[in-house]
Every structure is written in C-alpha cells, then in structure tokens.
C-alpha cells in the first residue's frame, strides 16, 4: 500500500476485521495472539485490526484534558465488554479496569504490532469517534456533548448506560483526536496510516441535514489528519445496512465529506446484504467486500458458500467498480472453519469458485486423505447448512442455549401462527410480526438430510478418527443435529402442556434434560468445545485474587446474562453470546431448563396459570449465582468422540421424526 497527501493506491487488500464481540478475544495472551497473527499471514491477510491496549493510550490522553483515573474507572468497560465500551454502547460495566490490566495490554499491543509489521502487514489503529467520559461535561461545560439514549438496559441506570458523545464539529473534537493519534505514534513508534472510526455505528446523528452530516464527516477525518497527514479513514458500512436514517442523500453526504482516496468503507455484510449494489458503489468511494457471517461467536453450522465464492468476483468485475479488496468482519471466530477457508481464498481468485468441486477436495485437505463417504457428507452439508439463502441474520436461538422467556401458552400460539405464515412471509418478517419476546430458532434446511450426513461421518470414523479436525467436525455436526432435535422436543413439551398432559410433560422434559447432559458429554470430547480453557485464560491474566474474581465474572457474564437485570426482569441481552461449551450446558443451561419445566408441571398440578414472574426470579438468581461462582471446569478433552457421537445418533436421531 502506498500513500500520499491526496490519495491511496490499493491493489488487493484482505482485511481481517476483528470485531470479536465474544469474550475469548479479551483473554488472549501473547502466545494466542502470535498464533492468530501467523494464521493471518498464512492466509495472505495484510490489513488486520489492532485495537488491543488502547485504554492505556486513552488514559494518557484524557489525563492531558484533566480527566482523572477515578473518572476513567466509570468510563472503560470490563475486559469482556471493551468492544461495546469502545463503541459507546455502555460504560463502566464489568469494570473498573485495574492499572495492571492497562499496562499489560499496552505491552501486548506493542508485541502484536511488531509481529504484524514483521510479516508485512499494515495494522489498523483506532481513531477518536467522539465517545468521552462524563467528566468532560463539567471540565469543558461549553463543549457540545450529548448524552445518548438507553442501549438495551433494563433500568436505564446512568452508572452503566447512556454514554456521552462529543459533537465532531466542536473544536475540542479535533484536539482530542489529534492527541490520541499523537500518543499512539509516541508509544508505538510507527503507523500504517490507516485508522478505524465508527462514530455512527448504532448512533444516529441528531439531524438529517446533508450539510450538517458532511461537516461531521469532515471534522471526524480532520481529527485523524491533524495527528497524521497521511491518515486514511477505514469505516464500517454497517450503519447503511440497518439504520433507515441513512438514505441516499445522507449516505452520499457522509461519504463525500472526505477527500477521495482518504476514506475506505467496509461493506460489512456483503455476503447477505451487499450495500455496493444499492449505493452506486458507495458513490465512488473505495470499499472492501466483507463477509460478516457470525454474530456473537455463537455455535451454529451456518454459511452461504455460493455467495462467498461469487460475491467478491461479481463486485470486482461490476461496471465502475470501486472495490479494492476483500475481508472478514465476523463478530466471533473459532467456528465453521470451512467458511473461513473458502473466504480466505477469495482475495486470490480472479473467477468465481466452483463450490461443488472445491468442497469435493476440501475434506482431503482437511483430514489428510480422501474418503468417498466423507466427500458425500460434505456435499450434503454444502447444499443444506452451508446454503442459507433466506436472508436472515443467523443468531443461534436454539432452545438449549437461548431458552424462551415467555408464557408457554404464548409459545403454542406463536408456533401455530408461524407455521401458517411461513409460506407467505420470510422467517424474520413472521417473527417480527408475532413477537419480540421469543425468537424461533433459525432453520433453513432439511434436518433429515443433515442427519444422513452425520451417518456418513460416523461410518467414516474408523478411517479418520485419528484426525483432530475430523473429530472437531464430527462433534460439531452431531451437536448441530441433536440441537435441532432438542428444539422439536421442546415443542412436544409445550404441546403436552397445552393438552393438560402431566405425564407427557414429565416424560418429555426429562428427555430434554437428559439430552442436555448427553450433549455436554459429547462436547467434552474436543478441546474446541470446552468452557474451562476460557475461564482459565481469564484468570491467568489476573494479578491477584480480586482480579481473578472480576475477570472470571466478566467471562461468565458475557456468555450468559448481561447488561443489567432486576430480580424479576432479565437483561435484554441475555444469551446474546451463548455457546455450546461443555460445562456450560451441564452447569447452567440444563439447570435453567429444569426451573422452567418445574413451573410447567406446577401449573398443571395446581391448576393455575404459569407463574412467569416466579420462573424469572429463579432463573435470574441461578444466573447471578453462576456468574459469581468460582467452580473450575476441565481444560482438557475427555471421551471418545466417535463412540459418543454414534451413541447419541442411536439414542436420539436413528428413529427421529424431526
């Protein structure tokens, strides 16, 4: 990449845009980071996001503006919530950050940057977006600082919600922006001149006047440029995808507010909802075709391989194309390796990939040998779980990991109305028309076909069981099939409840709970599905016992229930970061389901309505107790994946009517 004061020249960029809103990113040490960076280099990635340690930089910057460390204690989020704290969604939640954390993360960032530069990468550093501590409102009383609205908080508690945003047109914005860039240059000694800033991500401007929006964009860029003459602004295009505020005039005003070549947009969700098509190629502004794919690091076999194999090529070859690269912008990693293997190749493909041929060769590369049955299985998976074309955002809402928080009679009505409407409405449209309290688990394929693929996987086990990648895929596929069976089993529970069938409810609920225990046993067979290593890595970064408690609480809370809750009202973000991890199922998801089922039976036995408030009270208490627990979980896998997969198949799927 070459740059001058007017433009940048970009050939092919592969951007690995680490949003990583999941908790595991927070707990990476240098050994884990080095592995990740080496993986990026092997894939040809040359524009990685490098956001680690920025809180230490911000501490130094804000001190120059008379903001004390105490003021910052309520500004920075805890380690597992820094992604949302940095975006201005929340403040203080999970904190305060110990000074030792700030110091060690800064040291880690310097190692990360050194390794990236050593491998020829151009790290993307953060820039000032306008997110400021509350203290700035009284230190600079005349500054144009706005308190933002509530973001998914139950109680609108000002201690954690409703952050402060400094207007980009205020002179103080440029001062802080310049100071932040300068402090990074001072600490790191060099820069690649590319900075990420997303002032408007989930934050709508106060007015839609194009001239005002243009002035905002120009001021944000000026905050970067005053610190680095060669600054290039890298901006997420997510806002254009979800916020109706950004109509053509407003979008064009923002994109044209920066000199051509000094702004690059990430078409963040291009494999599902490409913006380049509807925005006249971002009105002439360079953009990167990005695959988002995963939300919150949820465990779900899902993908759109055909879109990945053709979308970047279509964009690059389109008339008047302004595409300058391809990238990955997932919220969480360590899932669906086949999707990322294919996406990693697309920077080097001049023509569309024949996915049928590619997938035929994939299993040989992945397992080290060619097995016809496995090749047949992967062909089935390509046409089912990896062929989602319904346009829905795939957030895993399987009943096991995202248990419904609604009255059971409502679920019955919801299920019937959904089945009635699904022919004329998209899945998401039907759900939105019916309820915002219970998301129907996303299903876009024939479960019987996927079960057949599992049969082929199991049949190939004798030849492939020595392969770690085979065992990972076997566990994942078994989990996928059994999880969808569990969704149907839950509906049988609800159906029995509606029929006042106490015996049926008792029978089906016990089967459901047994299934959760069995699945936990399955997940324990591979280190890729363990809770223990995540908690252990959080503890290892702590300097004392209090930090161990805080960091483990952060790690446990992010995957269960957060942001806030009352005794009878669950957080609106509960199960956002749900995971299929051994330990989590047996110790939390199973007991949670048991509480709900207990109230189902009591409702029938006592002839009264389902006690929704009582269920919530016990569930929330279970959650808060689990989050505070210090119980240790295994950090190494146990059990034979092939034997346990075969056992679960015979027990739940062999004669399944799902």
């Amino acid at each position: 990449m070459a740059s001058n004061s007017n433009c940048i020249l970009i050939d092919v960029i592969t951007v690995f845009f680490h949003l990583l809103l999941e908790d595991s990113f927070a707990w990476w040490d240098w050994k884990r980071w080095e592995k990740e960076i080496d993986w990026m280099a092997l894939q040809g990635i040359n524009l990685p996001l490098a956001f680690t340690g920025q809180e230490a930089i911000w501490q130094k910057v804000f001190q120059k503006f008379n903001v004390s460390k105490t003021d910052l204690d309520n500004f920075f989020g805890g380690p597992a919530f820094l992604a949302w704290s940095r975006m201005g969604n929340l403040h203080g939640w999970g904190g305060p950050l110990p000074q030792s954390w700030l110091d060690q993360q800064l040291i880690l960032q310097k190692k990360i940057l050194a390794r990236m530069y050593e491998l020829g990468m151009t790290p993307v550093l953060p820039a000032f977006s306008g997110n400021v501590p509350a203290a700035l409102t009284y230190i600079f009383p005349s500054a144009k600082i706005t308190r933002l609205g509530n973001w998914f908080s139950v109680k609108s508690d000002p201690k954690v919600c409703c952050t402060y945003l400094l207007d980009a047109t205020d002179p103080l914005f440029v001062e802080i922006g310049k100071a932040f860039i300068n402090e990074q240059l001072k600490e790191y000694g060099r820069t690649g001149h590319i900075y990420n800033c997303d002032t408007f991500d989930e934050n709508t401007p106060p007015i839609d006047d194009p001239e005002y929006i243009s002035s905002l964009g120009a001021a944000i860029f000026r905050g970067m440029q005053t610190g680095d003459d060669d600054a290039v602004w890298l901006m997420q295009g997510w806002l254009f995808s979800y916020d109706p505020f950004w109509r053509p005039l407003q979008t064009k005003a923002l994109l044209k507010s920066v000199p051509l070549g000094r702004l690059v947009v990430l078409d963040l969700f291009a494999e599902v909802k490409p913006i380049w098509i509807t925005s006249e190629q971002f009105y002439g502004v360079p953009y990167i075709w990005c695959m988002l794919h995963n939300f919150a690091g949820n465990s779900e076999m899902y993908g759109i391989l055909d879109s990945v194999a053709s979308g970047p090529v279509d964009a690059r070859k389109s008339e008047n194309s302004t595409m300058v690269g391809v990238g990955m912008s997932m919220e969480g990693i360590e899932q669906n390796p086949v999707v990322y293997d294919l996406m990693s190749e697309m920077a080097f493909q001049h023509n569309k990939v024949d996915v049928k041929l590619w997938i035929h060769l994939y299993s040989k590369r992945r397992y080290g040998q060619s097995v016809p049955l496995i090749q047949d299985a992967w062909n089935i998976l390509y046409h089912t779980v990896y062929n989602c074309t319904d346009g829905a955002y795939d957030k895993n809402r399987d009943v096991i990991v995202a248990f419904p928080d609604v009255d059971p009679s409502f679920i019955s009505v919801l299920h019937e109305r959904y089945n009635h409407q699904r022919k004329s409405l998209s899945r998401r449209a039907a759900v939105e028309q019916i309820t915002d309290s219970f998301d129907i688990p996303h299903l876009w394929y024939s479960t019987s076909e996927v079960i057949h693929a599992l049969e082929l996987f199991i049949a190939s086990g004798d030849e492939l069981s020595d392969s770690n990648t085979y065992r990972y895929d076997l566990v994942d596929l078994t989990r996928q099939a059994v999880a969808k069976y569990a969704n149907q089993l839950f509906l049988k529970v609800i159906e029995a409840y509606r029929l006042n069938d106490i015996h049926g409810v008792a029978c089906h609920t016990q089967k459901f709970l047994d299934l959760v225990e069995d699945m936990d046993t399955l997940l324990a067979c591979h280190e890729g599905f363990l809770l223990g290593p995540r908690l252990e890595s959080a503890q290892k970064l702590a300097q004392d016992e209090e930090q161990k408690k805080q960091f483990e609480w952060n790690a446990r809370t992010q995957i269960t229930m957060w942001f806030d809750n009352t005794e009878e009202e669950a957080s609106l973000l509960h199960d956002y970061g749900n995971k299929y991890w051994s330990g989590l199922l047996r110790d939390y998801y199973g007991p949670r389901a048991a509480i709900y089922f207990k109230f189902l039976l009591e409702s029938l036995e006592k002839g009264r309505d389902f006690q929704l408030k009582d269920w919530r009270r016990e569930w929330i208490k279970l959650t808060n107790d689990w989050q505070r627990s210090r119980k240790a979980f295994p950090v190494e896998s146990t059990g034979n994946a092939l034997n346990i997969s075969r056992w679960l198949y015979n027990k739940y799927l062999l004669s399944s009517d799902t």
Side-chain angles (χ1 to χ4, degrees):
M1 177 175 298
S3 67
N4 57 44
S5 59
N6 296 312
C7 66
I8 57 171
L9 302 175
I10 304 175
D11 296 319
V12 177
I13 293 176
T14 311
V15 54
F16 193 34
F17 197 64
H18 267 294
L19 283 180
L20 285 187
L21 298 184
E22 58 167 316
D23 68 313
S24 61
F25 181 75
W27 315 117
W28 285 3
D29 57 12
W30 169 238
K31 182 179 179 180
R32 180 63 182 86
W33 261 112
E34 187 176 32
K35 180 180 179 181
E36 193 72 18
I37 296 169
D38 288 350
W39 179 89
M40 286 192 261
L42 289 170
Q43 309 307 313
I45 289 162
N46 58 15
L47 195 67
L49 197 67
F51 268 26
T52 300
Q54 65 175 282
E55 282 68 33
I57 303 292
W58 277 120
Q59 183 184 49
K60 297 173 188 292
V61 170
F62 281 128
Q63 283 175 350
K64 296 177 181 179
F65 292 87
N66 299 317
V67 178
S68 69
K69 184 183 184 307
T70 302
D71 294 327
L72 293 176
D73 283 346
N74 192 40
F75 178 59
F76 300 136
F81 302 97
L82 287 175
W84 295 275
S85 172
R86 291 165 180 170
M87 289 191 294
N89 300 139
L90 54 82
H91 64 94
W93 179 259
L97 290 177
Q99 186 62 46
S100 60
W101 170 273
L102 299 173
D103 296 340
Q104 71 180 197
Q105 291 293 295
L106 183 58
I107 293 171
L108 179 60
Q109 170 74 339
K110 291 178 180 179
K111 290 182 178 180
I112 291 168
L113 292 175
R115 182 66 169 162
M116 289 177 173
Y117 285 127
E118 179 187 357
L119 294 174
M121 300 178 184
T122 302
V124 178
L125 297 176
F128 180 48
S129 66
N131 182 30
V132 295
L136 230 60
T137 60
Y138 56 79
I139 296 173
F140 298 93
S142 61
K144 290 188 285 186
I145 300 176
T146 303
R147 183 148 208 183
L148 301 179
N150 183 25
W151 184 83
F152 291 108
S153 166
V154 170
K155 298 177 289 186
S156 297
D157 187 347
K159 292 182 179 179
V160 293
C161 89
C162 313
T163 56
Y164 290 89
L165 185 72
L166 174 63
D167 194 297
T169 61
D170 191 293
L172 184 61
F173 187 100
V174 174
E175 287 186 51
I176 296 176
K178 178 182 179 180
F180 184 52
I181 297 294
N182 286 340
E183 192 63 37
Q184 291 186 92
L185 291 174
K186 177 183 175 182
E187 285 288 340
Y188 306 146
R190 63 185 295 189
T191 175
H193 306 295
I194 301 183
Y195 304 91
N196 172 246
C197 176
D198 294 300
T199 299
F200 308 112
D201 188 31
E202 302 193 20
N203 172 34
T204 303
I207 57 176
D208 64 359
D209 176 42
E211 288 189 13
Y212 172 71
I213 292 172
S214 181
S215 68
L216 286 178
I220 292 168
F221 178 66
R222 193 158 56 249
M224 303 176 208
Q225 192 176 33
T226 52
D228 181 354
D229 287 339
D230 293 329
V232 175
W233 179 4
L234 183 70
M235 180 182 71
Q236 292 186 56
W238 180 247
L239 66 165
F240 307 129
S241 176
Y242 81 92
D243 191 343
F245 172 90
W246 294 100
R247 302 179 299 280
L249 284 178
Q250 288 70 28
T251 301
K252 193 171 184 177
L254 177 60
L255 296 178
K256 292 291 188 179
S257 66
V258 179
L260 184 63
R262 306 303 289 273
L263 172 66
V264 179
V265 182
L266 300 172
D267 198 352
L268 207 70
F269 200 18
E271 83 276 22
V272 173
K273 193 175 181 180
I275 303 301
W276 68 267
I277 295 175
T278 58
S279 64
E280 300 175 26
Q281 303 265 348
F282 290 95
Y283 302 106
V285 172
Y287 76 94
I288 296 169
W289 193 103
C290 288
M291 178 192 76
L292 197 161
H293 180 256
N294 179 272
F295 290 88
N298 293 159
S299 311
E300 174 87 291
M301 293 185 75
Y302 157 83
I304 318 172
L305 295 185
D306 284 338
S307 178
V308 171
S310 61
V313 177
D314 287 338
R316 190 179 69 249
K317 292 185 175 181
S318 63
E319 187 177 0
N320 299 321
S321 176
T322 58
M323 172 184 156
V324 294
V326 298
M328 293 182 264
S329 53
M330 55 282 168
E331 287 190 359
I333 59 172
E334 298 176 343
Q335 37 73 33
N336 290 290
V338 63
V339 177
Y340 297 92
D341 280 0
L342 177 58
M343 187 63 219
S344 296
E345 294 187 17
M346 294 313 298
F348 311 101
Q349 295 289 348
H350 297 289
N351 299 303
K352 297 179 183 180
V353 172
D354 182 340
V355 182
K356 184 176 181 180
L357 176 61
W358 187 91
I359 208 77
H360 184 75
L361 299 173
Y362 174 75
S363 62
K364 182 178 180 179
R365 291 191 291 114
R366 184 156 173 79
Y367 308 136
Q369 59 179 302
S370 180
V371 178
L373 291 180
I374 279 289
Q375 290 175 320
D376 291 343
W378 271 107
N379 187 53
I380 293 172
L381 296 179
Y382 159 44
H383 288 98
T384 52
V385 294
Y386 293 116
N387 186 37
C388 180
T389 58
D390 62 9
Y393 294 18
D394 190 63
K395 282 286 285 112
N396 194 329
R397 308 311 292 174
D398 286 340
V399 174
I400 291 176
V401 296
F403 207 85
D405 177 29
V406 290
D407 187 290
S409 60
F410 180 78
I411 295 174
S412 300
V413 173
L414 171 61
H415 183 60
E416 287 182 354
R417 290 180 62 188
Y418 171 72
N419 284 336
H420 176 70
Q421 296 184 48
R422 67 185 301 181
K423 293 182 180 180
S424 58
L425 291 173
S426 71
R427 178 179 300 272
R428 182 154 300 275
V431 170
E432 289 175 347
Q433 286 195 20
I434 296 167
T435 179
D436 59 3
S437 301
F438 170 46
D439 287 339
I440 296 175
H442 186 197
L443 186 63
W444 62 96
Y445 60 85
S446 165
T447 55
S448 61
E449 290 184 57
V450 170
I451 290 172
H452 180 51
L454 176 59
E455 292 170 349
L456 298 176
F457 256 80
I458 293 172
S460 305
D462 291 339
E463 295 177 76
L464 295 175
S465 59
D466 287 340
S467 165
N468 187 50
T469 48
Y470 164 78
R471 294 194 302 273
Y472 176 94
D473 292 343
L474 176 65
V475 170
D476 202 21
L477 180 55
T478 308
R479 175 209 56 75
Q480 181 81 9
V482 175
K484 301 312 173 187
Y485 172 80
N487 292 339
Q488 296 303 312
L489 184 57
F490 175 76
L491 291 178
K492 290 182 179 180
V493 172
I494 299 304
E495 180 67 17
Y497 174 81
R498 188 174 64 170
L499 296 173
N500 293 313
D501 179 1
I502 295 177
H503 175 74
V505 170
C507 178
H508 292 313
T509 56
Q510 188 57 54
K511 188 173 183 179
F512 185 96
L513 296 175
D514 289 345
L515 182 151
V516 174
E517 292 269 335
D518 292 343
M519 188 181 288
D520 193 281
T521 302
L522 167 75
L523 298 170
C525 293
H526 197 282
E527 61 273 12
F529 300 94
L530 302 181
L531 170 64
R534 277 70 177 183
L535 301 184
E536 182 185 60
S537 61
Q539 293 176 2
K540 283 184 176 180
L541 293 183
Q543 301 293 311
D544 54 41
E545 192 62 28
E546 282 305 307
Q547 288 185 20
K548 285 184 178 180
K549 290 180 182 178
Q550 179 190 5
F551 293 178
E552 184 171 350
W553 180 90
N554 266 256
R556 287 170 174 261
T557 299
Q558 197 274 341
I559 58 176
T560 52
M561 183 185 294
W562 66 281
F563 183 24
D564 65 346
N565 56 264
T566 67
E567 290 186 357
E568 296 181 354
E569 189 171 3
S571 161
L572 300 176
L573 291 170
H574 67 82
D575 296 323
Y576 177 80
N578 66 69
K579 304 285 189 294
Y580 276 104
W581 285 346
S582 177
L584 189 57
L585 272 73
R586 190 184 305 273
D587 211 50
Y588 177 68
Y589 291 144
R592 174 175 65 176
I595 294 172
Y596 190 88
F597 294 152
K598 178 187 74 173
F599 284 106
L600 278 182
L601 286 169
E602 286 185 3
S603 171
L604 295 180
E605 291 167 351
K606 297 181 180 181
R608 66 184 186 188
D609 291 340
F610 181 82
Q611 302 299 295
L612 188 62
K613 286 187 176 181
D614 290 343
W615 135 252
R616 285 177 174 164
R617 189 180 294 110
E618 288 199 26
W619 163 36
I620 292 168
K621 182 180 184 304
L622 167 75
T623 303
N624 292 338
D625 288 346
W626 191 85
Q627 292 165 346
R628 290 189 293 265
S629 173
R630 302 297 305 282
K631 178 180 176 180
F633 294 88
V635 296
E636 295 182 356
S637 60
T638 58
N640 184 295
L642 179 58
N643 290 343
I644 293 174
S645 175
R646 185 183 290 117
W647 169 59
L648 291 183
Y649 167 78
N650 290 331
K651 184 174 182 179
Y652 296 109
L653 305 174
L654 183 59
S655 59
S656 170
D657 58 358
T658 58

